[in-house]
Amino acid sequence: MVSPAQRWQYVVVGVVIFSAFLLFSNSLLEQPYRPPLGTKANPKGIPLPPPWLIATISAAQSVQRRAIIRSTWQTLYKNDTTFTTRFVLSNPGELWAPVIAVENATHGDIIILPDLKEDSHTANTVKSIEFLKYLTAGNTAYDFITKLDDDSYLDAHTFWKNYLQPRIAFDAGNAHSESPALNRTIIARTLRRSTWTYPGGQFYTMTWDLAVLLSQLHAKHPINDEHEDVLVGRLLHEAGVEWQHVDLPNEIAFDFEEKDLRGDGTAFAKDGADLKGWKHAVGRGSVNPHKMKGDEEYLRVAACFDEEGVAMNPATT
């Protein structure tokens, strides 16, 4: 039987651990200064962080899913010169704070947004934009920022090779502000509302200048009842901002569905399956399967990929 005095001691210890964790978490992005692309010398003479930050939105209690993500694509495609990864959590509260503190002491890859409530409404509305505000208020700038759902798999190797590296190479000789391929661009599935588009929320990647601009726009217009991906398009539309939407077709980014499978226990689509629909199984062009709610389902999808992307063999559609 725990006495009131002992219970109070547990609460105090939990608060101390959580406070220390917040200090550690909020220092994670205090990395070396990253000068604009095209700057030939680092004025501070220290190593640069990678150009791409991949931020996975996660709930405090999703400890096992984060472990699976770390052990699958984050390990398979690990490349410290290309990208860095973080998990973004709202305030986990006293119950989960000690658990998250231990997890982050082990991996050092969690960012806490302490002013946000840990619930589905927050996650589906303002969590992503509040993360952008937190990020752009720091000392480190990236060329590209990716927001990723934790029920999404990402072939980071192929996405970098096909979508990001060419944009950096195209403008390698220009200052960042003069780089059309690195400004006001979002790469994502294209969704529409009336006359304007917005990026599909499962996985979108934006240039740094848009992350800054969206943070400023939301500070002026703190909309809190719009779905987080629609909010991106709405803020830009209502501000009259022109931006480039690079579409990810359904063959690349899609909702995974266990339909028309090969029948061998894998998540591969059978020969002749339609990979152009919104939902389908894994095929040759797959980069971002989404909506794997179950952990075993996520692992079956992850098993379809190797270091070069989709594991190619004669039976792969």
Side-chain angles (χ1 to χ4, degrees):
M1 184 72 178
V2 178
S3 68
Q6 289 175 315
R7 187 178 297 111
W8 175 247
Q9 288 177 337
Y10 293 153
V11 170
V12 171
V13 170
V15 170
V16 170
I17 292 175
F18 185 43
S19 299
F21 166 64
L22 286 180
L23 289 173
F24 176 64
S25 170
N26 291 339
S27 69
L28 281 173
L29 288 180
E30 299 301 312
Q31 299 180 30
Y33 165 80
R34 180 175 176 80
L37 196 70
T39 302
K40 294 183 178 180
N42 184 342
K44 295 189 178 181
I46 49 182
L48 298 178
W52 181 22
L53 173 66
I54 306 173
T56 301
I57 305 299
S58 183
Q61 62 269 27
S62 300
V63 178
Q64 181 162 298
R65 177 53 60 96
R66 290 192 292 276
I68 289 173
I69 291 171
R70 290 188 188 102
S71 65
T72 54
W73 68 263
Q74 287 189 1
T75 296
L76 191 62
Y77 305 118
K78 182 176 176 60
N79 186 335
D80 293 335
T81 65
T82 299
F83 67 86
T84 189
T85 59
R86 294 289 184 267
F87 292 97
V88 181
L89 279 61
S90 297
N91 191 324
E94 291 182 3
L95 183 64
W96 281 96
V99 177
I100 303 304
V102 171
E103 180 185 359
N104 205 36
T106 301
H107 301 286
D109 61 356
I110 294 176
I111 294 170
I112 291 286
L113 303 177
D115 295 332
L116 293 188
K117 186 177 180 181
E118 183 65 84
D119 59 25
S120 58
H121 174 76
T122 300
N124 291 329
T125 54
V126 298
K127 186 173 182 178
S128 297
I129 196 73
E130 291 297 335
F131 166 67
L132 291 182
K133 290 179 183 177
Y134 162 79
L135 182 66
T136 56
N139 295 329
T140 302
Y142 296 86
D143 296 325
F144 302 102
I145 311 299
T146 285
K147 177 265 177 179
L148 186 70
D149 284 348
D150 69 356
D151 60 349
S152 278
Y153 182 93
L154 177 60
D155 174 1
H157 168 77
T158 299
F159 185 75
W160 167 260
K161 180 180 66 175
N162 292 346
Y163 286 91
L164 302 187
Q165 189 176 35
R167 306 184 81 81
I168 290 177
F170 177 79
D171 278 322
N174 296 328
H176 203 289
S177 61
E178 300 171 348
S179 302
L182 294 170
N183 279 281
R184 298 205 173 181
T185 298
I186 297 179
I187 306 169
R189 297 176 94 175
T190 302
L191 301 178
R192 297 186 179 277
R193 174 172 288 190
S194 184
T195 60
W196 46 274
T197 66
Y198 62 93
Q202 70 192 58
F203 168 53
Y204 54 80
T205 301
M206 67 180 64
T207 51
W208 178 258
D209 65 319
L210 271 187
V212 173
L213 179 57
L214 284 165
S215 299
Q216 295 169 345
L217 291 174
H218 192 257
K220 294 179 181 178
H221 308 284
I223 302 166
N224 62 8
D225 58 354
E226 189 73 87
H227 200 280
E228 60 91 13
D229 51 358
V230 181
L231 180 60
V232 171
R234 178 178 169 182
L235 287 170
L236 295 173
H237 171 70
E238 293 182 352
V241 175
E242 293 185 3
W243 57 286
Q244 180 185 15
H245 192 151
V246 179
D247 180 58
L248 293 179
N250 290 337
E251 296 94 329
I252 291 175
F254 56 94
D255 289 357
F256 175 75
E257 183 178 43
E258 292 188 335
K259 178 183 178 182
D260 294 332
L261 295 175
R262 188 187 291 173
D264 57 359
T266 71
F268 281 118
K270 67 181 181 181
D271 186 37
D274 179 13
L275 302 182
K276 296 183 181 296
W278 191 260
K279 301 178 181 180
H280 56 79
V282 177
R284 285 183 181 269
S286 299
V287 171
N288 171 229
H290 171 236
K291 281 202 172 178
M292 289 83 72
K293 300 299 184 183
D295 290 336
E296 290 188 2
E297 183 179 45
Y298 193 102
L299 289 169
R300 283 197 300 275
V301 168
C304 295
F305 293 81
D306 61 21
E307 292 86 350
E308 298 298 319
V310 176
M312 305 296 289
N313 62 64
T316 304
T317 299

Short mmCIF file of all heavy atoms in Angstrom, two decimals, residues 111-138:
data_model
loop_
_atom_site.label_atom_id
_atom_site.label_comp_id
_atom_site.label_asym_id
_atom_site.label_seq_id
_atom_site.Cartn_x
_atom_site.Cartn_y
_atom_site.Cartn_z
N ILE A 111 11.28 15.41 -29.70
CA ILE A 111 11.00 16.82 -29.43
C ILE A 111 9.65 16.89 -28.74
O ILE A 111 8.67 16.30 -29.20
CB ILE A 111 10.97 17.65 -30.72
CG1 ILE A 111 12.36 17.70 -31.36
CG2 ILE A 111 10.45 19.06 -30.46
CD1 ILE A 111 12.36 18.29 -32.75
N ILE A 112 9.60 17.60 -27.63
CA ILE A 112 8.36 17.80 -26.89
C ILE A 112 7.85 19.22 -27.13
O ILE A 112 8.61 20.18 -27.04
CB ILE A 112 8.57 17.60 -25.38
CG1 ILE A 112 8.86 16.13 -25.06
CG2 ILE A 112 7.37 18.08 -24.59
CD1 ILE A 112 7.64 15.24 -25.14
N LEU A 113 6.56 19.33 -27.44
CA LEU A 113 5.89 20.63 -27.51
C LEU A 113 5.06 20.75 -26.23
O LEU A 113 3.91 20.32 -26.18
CB LEU A 113 5.01 20.71 -28.76
CG LEU A 113 5.74 20.46 -30.09
CD1 LEU A 113 4.75 20.48 -31.25
CD2 LEU A 113 6.85 21.48 -30.31
N PRO A 114 5.65 21.31 -25.17
CA PRO A 114 5.05 21.21 -23.83
C PRO A 114 3.73 21.94 -23.67
O PRO A 114 2.97 21.63 -22.75
CB PRO A 114 6.13 21.81 -22.93
CG PRO A 114 6.92 22.70 -23.81
CD PRO A 114 6.92 22.05 -25.15
N ASP A 115 3.43 22.90 -24.53
CA ASP A 115 2.19 23.66 -24.39
C ASP A 115 1.01 23.01 -25.09
O ASP A 115 -0.11 23.53 -25.02
CB ASP A 115 2.38 25.08 -24.93
CG ASP A 115 3.40 25.87 -24.13
OD1 ASP A 115 3.54 25.59 -22.92
OD2 ASP A 115 4.05 26.76 -24.70
N LEU A 116 1.25 21.90 -25.77
CA LEU A 116 0.17 21.23 -26.50
C LEU A 116 -0.37 20.05 -25.72
O LEU A 116 0.39 19.27 -25.14
CB LEU A 116 0.67 20.74 -27.87
CG LEU A 116 1.06 21.79 -28.90
CD1 LEU A 116 1.33 21.12 -30.24
CD2 LEU A 116 -0.02 22.86 -29.05
N LYS A 117 -1.68 19.90 -25.75
CA LYS A 117 -2.32 18.77 -25.10
C LYS A 117 -2.17 17.52 -25.95
O LYS A 117 -2.27 17.58 -27.17
CB LYS A 117 -3.80 19.09 -24.88
CG LYS A 117 -4.56 18.05 -24.07
CD LYS A 117 -6.00 18.49 -23.85
CE LYS A 117 -6.78 17.47 -23.03
NZ LYS A 117 -8.19 17.88 -22.84
N GLU A 118 -1.93 16.40 -25.30
CA GLU A 118 -1.79 15.13 -26.01
C GLU A 118 -3.16 14.53 -26.26
O GLU A 118 -3.71 13.81 -25.42
CB GLU A 118 -0.92 14.17 -25.19
CG GLU A 118 -0.64 12.83 -25.87
CD GLU A 118 0.19 12.98 -27.12
OE1 GLU A 118 1.42 13.04 -27.01
OE2 GLU A 118 -0.41 13.04 -28.21
N ASP A 119 -3.77 14.87 -27.40
CA ASP A 119 -5.05 14.28 -27.77
C ASP A 119 -5.18 14.30 -29.29
O ASP A 119 -4.39 14.93 -30.00
CB ASP A 119 -6.23 15.00 -27.11
CG ASP A 119 -6.32 16.49 -27.46
OD1 ASP A 119 -5.81 16.89 -28.52
OD2 ASP A 119 -6.90 17.24 -26.67
N SER A 120 -6.18 13.59 -29.80
CA SER A 120 -6.32 13.44 -31.25
C SER A 120 -6.68 14.75 -31.93
O SER A 120 -6.26 15.01 -33.05
CB SER A 120 -7.37 12.37 -31.56
OG SER A 120 -8.62 12.71 -30.99
N HIS A 121 -7.48 15.60 -31.26
CA HIS A 121 -7.86 16.87 -31.87
C HIS A 121 -6.62 17.73 -32.12
O HIS A 121 -6.45 18.29 -33.22
CB HIS A 121 -8.83 17.63 -30.97
CG HIS A 121 -9.15 19.02 -31.47
ND1 HIS A 121 -10.00 19.24 -32.53
CD2 HIS A 121 -8.69 20.25 -31.07
CE1 HIS A 121 -10.07 20.55 -32.76
NE2 HIS A 121 -9.29 21.17 -31.90
N THR A 122 -5.75 17.83 -31.14
CA THR A 122 -4.53 18.62 -31.30
C THR A 122 -3.65 18.04 -32.40
O THR A 122 -3.12 18.76 -33.25
CB THR A 122 -3.75 18.66 -29.98
OG1 THR A 122 -4.57 19.25 -28.97
CG2 THR A 122 -2.47 19.47 -30.12
N ALA A 123 -3.52 16.71 -32.40
CA ALA A 123 -2.68 16.06 -33.41
C ALA A 123 -3.20 16.30 -34.81
O ALA A 123 -2.41 16.46 -35.76
CB ALA A 123 -2.59 14.57 -33.12
N ASN A 124 -4.51 16.35 -34.95
CA ASN A 124 -5.12 16.47 -36.28
C ASN A 124 -5.29 17.91 -36.74
O ASN A 124 -5.69 18.15 -37.89
CB ASN A 124 -6.48 15.78 -36.30
CG ASN A 124 -6.35 14.27 -36.20
OD1 ASN A 124 -5.37 13.69 -36.66
ND2 ASN A 124 -7.34 13.64 -35.59
N THR A 125 -5.01 18.89 -35.86
CA THR A 125 -5.24 20.28 -36.24
C THR A 125 -3.97 21.13 -36.17
O THR A 125 -3.44 21.54 -37.20
CB THR A 125 -6.33 20.90 -35.35
OG1 THR A 125 -5.98 20.72 -33.96
CG2 THR A 125 -7.69 20.27 -35.62
N VAL A 126 -3.45 21.40 -34.99
CA VAL A 126 -2.40 22.42 -34.87
C VAL A 126 -1.02 21.87 -34.51
O VAL A 126 -0.05 22.63 -34.47
CB VAL A 126 -2.79 23.48 -33.81
CG1 VAL A 126 -4.05 24.21 -34.24
CG2 VAL A 126 -2.94 22.86 -32.43
N LYS A 127 -0.90 20.59 -34.27
CA LYS A 127 0.39 20.07 -33.81
C LYS A 127 1.49 20.29 -34.84
O LYS A 127 2.61 20.69 -34.49
CB LYS A 127 0.26 18.58 -33.48
CG LYS A 127 1.52 17.98 -32.85
CD LYS A 127 1.26 16.55 -32.41
CE LYS A 127 2.47 15.93 -31.73
NZ LYS A 127 2.19 14.55 -31.26
N SER A 128 1.20 20.05 -36.10
CA SER A 128 2.23 20.20 -37.13
C SER A 128 2.66 21.65 -37.30
O SER A 128 3.86 21.95 -37.41
CB SER A 128 1.72 19.64 -38.46
OG SER A 128 1.46 18.26 -38.36
N ILE A 129 1.71 22.58 -37.31
CA ILE A 129 2.07 23.99 -37.49
C ILE A 129 2.78 24.51 -36.25
O ILE A 129 3.70 25.34 -36.35
CB ILE A 129 0.82 24.84 -37.82
CG1 ILE A 129 1.23 26.21 -38.38
CG2 ILE A 129 -0.08 25.02 -36.61
CD1 ILE A 129 1.76 26.17 -39.77
N GLU A 130 2.42 24.02 -35.07
CA GLU A 130 3.12 24.44 -33.86
C GLU A 130 4.55 23.90 -33.86
O GLU A 130 5.47 24.56 -33.35
CB GLU A 130 2.37 23.97 -32.61
CG GLU A 130 1.04 24.68 -32.38
CD GLU A 130 1.19 26.18 -32.14
OE1 GLU A 130 2.28 26.61 -31.69
OE2 GLU A 130 0.23 26.92 -32.41
N PHE A 131 4.74 22.73 -34.43
CA PHE A 131 6.11 22.23 -34.58
C PHE A 131 6.92 23.14 -35.51
O PHE A 131 8.08 23.44 -35.23
CB PHE A 131 6.10 20.80 -35.13
CG PHE A 131 7.46 20.37 -35.62
CD1 PHE A 131 8.50 20.18 -34.73
CD2 PHE A 131 7.70 20.17 -36.97
CE1 PHE A 131 9.77 19.80 -35.17
CE2 PHE A 131 8.95 19.79 -37.43
CZ PHE A 131 9.99 19.61 -36.52
N LEU A 132 6.32 23.58 -36.61
CA LEU A 132 7.04 24.49 -37.51
C LEU A 132 7.41 25.79 -36.80
O LEU A 132 8.50 26.32 -37.01
CB LEU A 132 6.18 24.79 -38.74
CG LEU A 132 5.95 23.64 -39.71
CD1 LEU A 132 5.12 24.11 -40.90
CD2 LEU A 132 7.25 23.02 -40.18
N LYS A 133 6.53 26.28 -35.95
CA LYS A 133 6.84 27.49 -35.19
C LYS A 133 8.04 27.25 -34.27
O LYS A 133 8.95 28.08 -34.17
CB LYS A 133 5.63 27.93 -34.36
CG LYS A 133 4.47 28.48 -35.16
CD LYS A 133 3.34 28.84 -34.19
CE LYS A 133 2.11 29.33 -34.90
NZ LYS A 133 1.01 29.62 -33.95
N TYR A 134 8.00 26.12 -33.58
CA TYR A 134 9.11 25.77 -32.69
C TYR A 134 10.42 25.66 -33.47
O TYR A 134 11.45 26.20 -33.07
CB TYR A 134 8.79 24.45 -31.99
CG TYR A 134 10.00 23.77 -31.40
CD1 TYR A 134 10.53 24.18 -30.18
CD2 TYR A 134 10.63 22.73 -32.07
CE1 TYR A 134 11.66 23.57 -29.65
CE2 TYR A 134 11.75 22.11 -31.55
CZ TYR A 134 12.26 22.54 -30.33
OH TYR A 134 13.38 21.94 -29.82
N LEU A 135 10.35 24.99 -34.60
CA LEU A 135 11.55 24.74 -35.39
C LEU A 135 12.14 26.03 -35.94
O LEU A 135 13.35 26.27 -35.83
CB LEU A 135 11.20 23.80 -36.54
CG LEU A 135 12.35 23.38 -37.46
CD1 LEU A 135 13.35 22.53 -36.70
CD2 LEU A 135 11.80 22.62 -38.67
N THR A 136 11.30 26.87 -36.53
CA THR A 136 11.81 28.08 -37.17
C THR A 136 12.23 29.14 -36.17
O THR A 136 12.91 30.11 -36.54
CB THR A 136 10.76 28.66 -38.14
OG1 THR A 136 9.54 28.91 -37.43
CG2 THR A 136 10.49 27.69 -39.28
N ALA A 137 11.87 28.97 -34.91
CA ALA A 137 12.32 29.90 -33.87
C ALA A 137 13.71 29.53 -33.35
O ALA A 137 14.30 30.28 -32.57
CB ALA A 137 11.32 29.93 -32.71
N GLY A 138 14.23 28.38 -33.78
CA GLY A 138 15.53 27.92 -33.30
C GLY A 138 16.68 28.49 -34.10
O GLY A 138 16.52 29.41 -34.92
#
